[in-house]
Amino acid sequence: MAEPITPAVSDRICKHMNKDHAEAVLFYATAYGNQPAATAAQMESIDAEGMTLAVTVDGAQTPVRVPFDHTLEGAEDAHHTLVAMLKQVQA
């Protein structure tokens, strides 16, 4: 059974993404969050439907919701989906 995306799992994913994959989080904001002028982004939460980012544009921070193209089945699906989102636009 897939590990559900609980608040604790969301927190773990966000901490990992912000610490180890900050460039990817900024990419999600610019490519999927319709924020091409973003200079920074932090992943605040992730759930089965999408992710919420805190995006910096012109020195001001604004929340941005990035929906997924499908409902995530769990934490492993979140990992695969986030990787696929990077590859999809870069292809």
Side-chain angles (χ1 to χ4, degrees):
M1 183 173 183
E3 178 184 20
I5 302 176
T6 62
V9 170
S10 171
D11 188 53
R12 183 184 79 212
I13 292 170
C14 291
K15 284 181 180 175
H16 167 71
M17 292 300 295
N18 292 330
K19 180 179 178 226
D20 297 331
H21 304 290
E23 289 178 7
V25 177
L26 179 58
F27 179 78
Y28 298 137
T30 59
Y32 293 98
N34 198 28
Q35 299 294 323
T39 55
Q42 291 276 313
M43 187 179 291
E44 292 193 323
S45 67
I46 185 170
D47 57 56
E49 303 300 324
M51 63 181 125
T52 301
L53 308 176
V55 179
T56 303
V57 178
D58 295 329
Q61 200 172 74
T62 184
V64 173
R65 180 74 175 167
V66 177
F68 295 129
D69 65 355
H70 68 284
T71 300
L72 300 181
E73 295 179 15
E76 186 174 345
D77 191 14
H79 170 78
H80 292 295
T81 299
L82 291 171
V83 171
M85 287 172 75
L86 289 174
K87 291 180 179 179
Q88 182 178 359
V89 174
Q90 293 174 344

